[in-house]
């Protein structure tokens, strides 16, 4: 039986998952391919670290040269993460004519176009299903299944850590800090959770999805990114009473003026299929011209889920190698990718939830309502809660009608400067967009 | 720019959707392919029928020979439905070296293995995404994304007509007959709804999914298929009170003794992601070793949704043609497909909902409980409702603990023979399987 040699760069969480799936499902994969996939080398940075028992010592190397000099290696699989030396290793792999697989979204966001261009001109494949939403085949869906269609919007819950934290806050009334600590204890959040809770992880995934769906250059630096660290249980409770669920929502829409791409906490209707996405699950809701609404959901991270995506990429490239082709799919670079204008988030129009923390005295609501009115933000409903023993400030919550973000921001800036305002106003966007999957 | 010629066989609902997507998205498709897809012929059976304005008369033919004799036709797309002449036309297309696309699940169930074998030996591709669940890319997911994984179960709502009817019965308390009439009026059900409401349409889809997921020969004749025609609003109401939603569920599981493949109404937990699938939507919930639970949902039928799946197949084959390859994916025939044993549905173990319609007299519940006990069916809970003016019979509903289907059937047969039993007992399986998407 024919054999295809591969090398893994990295033996962390995803690397080990990839290795184990290739080992455990070897017979099924052979049967589907009519060929054997053989791991010939595994590059590790620290050769002295304890190695899982099921990985033979003979595969381990610390030298990328060993891999690049082995003519039997046809596919290099980068699962080490980080920008350096991952970028250099991928470049050298591509330059030497190897097909490559990566699960490194940070690298693709920072240097993707360069890597895809290099792969295109060298005539090799670069696959990256594992870089977005773990095992959910969303890259493949956009690259292949929806190649027939015109995507108009993407609404996603694409970060499991923040979704776990928000689910815990909603279900158990936990504070953000307690929910984060719980997520860290259970392994759903890292010791330094900044990338997740600050929204950057979600933004990197969203930008890859948007680039693919809209054939456009979109990078996290260009888009509005807001995390979940300022959210309070009271926001979740008040939103729920109004029929909403609070999620960290990644949104990309194609509008006539350009692309609207954002990551931020948002209230979505309880009836939205995204409202039911719990714990560490991810989901992506697409709207496209022919298919209409479609939903893709599953575990967005973890050793085996992400490993399964990496292995599906390896199998896809093996099928190309066995057929003697490459470059069947468009690469995320020129001429496929084009420049498009991005709509600034200040131009957003939609309803808002505004929670004001104010001194408990007469006339405050009147002043707030007046400022909002002057700025063109009209009120759909208002909730006023007096100060309580555990909270010396009064809470005023406003659900606005559709308003322009710029006007909301300017009103909030004014209100936050009032003597009666006790702490910065909480502003949460309400997105009615990701509606019910219903004909 | 290079041009790839295709021919459509059929210009019904799906054929017209396919034609329109190719026309409307021509520029996007050209950009993704670097080539033009040109419809050269459309075969219709009745050339005299009125033709949509946007389809040029010059494309229409009634003669398959015109298509097969045109050397510029590389892909033949069968969207005519039925077994004859679709089978013959596909065979002649394959024999002449054309790649083929079909959305014909009945044909694939009846003669698929033969067609796939022929395509395999002739070295052409046979794609069929449109045959199952319209635009949801579930065939592609099983053939490619999950090629890395080992699927253990498929739970699906794969028939939009019955899901629409059951949703209407649940939401509006409509009778089966009224809900069917409404579905027919809105175009969600055909004049002769037998294939849908009898479960055969779902069974044909499920068998294709199971064949692919388990690399096994499974045909609708071998599996238990039960439709929704005997369901009553009272069943939906009583199930809901116990925390369940009633769906026509298509299930395929890989067990150590063989495959368990069934289509029948089932109560599923309200918290199941399948419980939220409303109206004409379809959804497939997969369980696999590495990825865990994953859910795929969208419109499972209709001109444009199914057309989008057909066009994605056309694009995939175009990519192969441009790269000069074929046969990248395993074909649903030997050596990929193997014989496996199917577990008879009488061997099912699980809880049951039993609704008995009995005369309103003392001792009836005792007799029923005794018979169930003797057959080894133990009771989890019982609801007894006296006769009412509008219903002269009393209703007894039993929720059983897990029991063997054979024992349940034998108890029901006995009870249905009692003088006090007024009409055949309603038996509905309870499936806890398709659980919550939650880590």
């Amino acid at each position: 039986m024919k054999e295809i040699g591969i090398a893994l760069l990295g033996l962390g969480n995803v690397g080990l998952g990839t290795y184990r799936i290739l080992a455990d499902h070897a017979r099924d994969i052979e049967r589907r391919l009519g060929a054997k996939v053989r791991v010939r080398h595994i590059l590790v940075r620290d050769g002295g670290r304890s190695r899982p028992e099921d990985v033979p010592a003979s595969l381990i190397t610390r030298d990328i040269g060993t891999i690049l000099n082995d003519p039997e290696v046809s596919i290099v699989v980068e699962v080490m993460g980080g920008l350096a030396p991952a970028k250099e290793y991928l470049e050298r792999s591509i330059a030497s004519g190897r097909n490559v697989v990566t699960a490194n979204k940070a690298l693709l966001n920072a240097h993707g176009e360069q890597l895809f261009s290099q792969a295109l001109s060298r005539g090799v494949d670069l696959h990256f299903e594992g870089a977005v939403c773990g095992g959910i085949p969303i890259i493949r869906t956009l690259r292949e299944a929806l190649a027939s269609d015109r995507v108009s919007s993407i609404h996603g819950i694409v970060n499991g850590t923040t979704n776990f934290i928000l689910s815990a806050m909603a279900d158990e009334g936990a504070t953000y800090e307690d929910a984060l600590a719980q997520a860290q204890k259970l392994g759903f959040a890292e010791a330094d959770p900044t990338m997740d809770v600050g929204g950057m992880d979600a933004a990197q995934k969203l930008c890859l999805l948007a680039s693919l769906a809209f054939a456009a250059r979109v990078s996290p630096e260009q888009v509005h990114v807001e995390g979940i660290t300022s959210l309070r249980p009271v926001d979740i409770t008040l939103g729920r009473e109004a029929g909403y669920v609070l999620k960290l929502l990644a949104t990309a829409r194609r509008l006539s003026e350009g692309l609207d791409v954002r990551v931020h906490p948002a209230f979505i209707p309880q009836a939205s299929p995204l409202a039911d996405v719990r714990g560490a699950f991810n989901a992506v809701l697409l709207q496209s011209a022919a298919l209409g609404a479609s939903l893709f959901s599953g575990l967005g991270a973890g050793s085996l889920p992400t490993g399964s995506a990496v292995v599906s990429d390896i199998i896809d490239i093996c099928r190309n190698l066995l057929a003697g082709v490459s470059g069947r799919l468009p690469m995320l670079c020129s001429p496929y990718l084009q420049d498009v204008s991005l709509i600034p988030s200040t131009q957003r129009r939609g309803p808002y939830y505004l929670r004001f923390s104010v001194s408990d005295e007469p006339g405050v609501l009147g002043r707030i309502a007046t400022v909002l009115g002057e700025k063109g933000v009209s009120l759909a409903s208002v909730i006023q809660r007096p100060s309580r023993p555990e909270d010396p400030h009064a809470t005023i919550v406003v659900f606005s009608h559709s308003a322009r973000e710029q006007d909301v921001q300017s009103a909030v800036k004014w209100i936050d400067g009032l003597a009666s305002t006790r702490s910065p106003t909480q502003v949460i966007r309400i997105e009615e967009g990701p509606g019910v999957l219903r004909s």
Side-chain angles (χ1 to χ4, degrees), chain A residues 3-84:
Chain A
E3 198 174 277
I4 295 172
I6 74 169
L8 302 184
L9 312 185
L11 190 61
N13 202 21
V14 177
L16 191 57
T18 302
Y19 179 82
R20 286 184 172 155
I21 292 169
L22 286 169
D24 293 352
H25 299 175
R27 272 187 47 202
D28 285 352
I29 293 171
E30 270 171 49
R31 186 129 160 263
R32 289 177 192 133
L33 272 184
K36 224 181 174 66
V37 177
R38 185 165 153 216
V39 178
R40 297 180 59 85
H41 310 279
I42 301 176
L43 181 85
V44 298
R45 276 181 273 194
D46 177 0
R49 242 182 33 187
S50 79
R51 178 179 39 76
E53 271 182 13
D54 53 340
V55 179
S58 59
L59 296 182
I60 303 291
T61 176
R62 269 181 292 180
D63 177 16
I64 184 74
T66 311
I67 290 167
L68 297 178
N69 290 328
D70 179 351
E72 300 297 318
V73 171
S74 307
I75 309 174
V76 174
V77 180
E78 187 271 305
V79 281
M80 63 201 307
L83 300 187

Side-chain angles (χ1 to χ4, degrees), chain A residues 355-361 363-365 367-368 384-387 391-397 415-416 418-425:
Chain A
R355 176 169 55 78
F356 303 97
S357 190
V358 295
S359 55
D360 203 351
E361 60 191 55
V364 174
L365 175 58
R367 277 199 295 280
I368 288 175
Q384 185 161 16
R385 297 208 310 188
S387 58
D391 180 3
H393 309 312
T395 298
I396 293 174
V397 171
I415 292 165
D416 282 358
L418 293 175
S420 52
T421 299
R422 292 303 176 205
S423 49
T425 298

Side-chain angles (χ1 to χ4, degrees), chain A residues 6 15-16 41 131 158 217 238 255 308 350 383:
Chain A
I6 74 169
L16 191 57
H41 310 279
V158 297
R217 291 186 180 86
L238 291 169
L255 302 175
S308 81
I383 302 166

Side-chain angles (χ1 to χ4, degrees), chain A residues 180-348:
Chain A
L180 171 61
Q182 192 189 340
Q184 285 171 323
K185 203 173 134 198
L186 293 172
F188 290 126
E190 305 192 35
D192 176 1
T194 316
M195 287 290 290
D196 292 318
V197 300
M200 188 43 75
D201 176 89
Q204 289 181 343
K205 291 169 182 166
L206 178 65
C207 288
L208 288 174
L209 294 180
S211 298
L212 207 48
F214 305 128
R217 291 186 180 86
V218 191
S219 73
E221 295 72 40
Q222 300 171 286
V223 309
H224 179 78
V225 180
E226 204 180 306
I228 64 163
T229 52
S230 78
L231 301 176
R232 297 287 164 261
V234 63
D235 298 318
I236 294 176
T237 311
L238 291 169
R240 180 158 43 205
E241 285 164 11
Y244 297 112
V245 174
L246 187 55
K247 294 289 184 188
L248 181 67
L249 195 68
T251 307
R253 298 186 301 155
R254 192 203 305 250
L255 302 175
S256 54
E257 320 91 86
L259 295 184
D260 172 29
V261 184
R262 295 175 271 126
V263 172
H264 53 69
F267 282 119
I268 61 173
Q270 269 157 10
S272 163
L274 293 181
D276 292 324
V277 179
R278 320 290 309 230
F281 273 81
N282 281 194
V284 178
L285 180 62
L286 302 176
Q287 280 283 351
S288 56
L291 177 51
S294 56
L295 180 76
F296 303 83
S297 173
L299 279 172
S303 176
L304 292 177
T306 306
S308 81
V310 172
V311 175
S312 73
D313 277 350
I314 294 171
I315 291 174
D316 200 51
I317 293 183
C318 286
R319 284 173 171 161
N320 285 347
L321 287 169
L322 293 167
V325 295
S326 68
R328 287 177 74 255
L329 302 178
M331 293 280 185
L332 282 182
C333 58
S334 272
Y336 183 72
L337 279 199
Q338 306 202 331
D339 286 319
V340 292
S341 57
L342 284 157
I343 302 171
S345 68
T346 47
Q347 296 304 309
R348 174 186 187 266

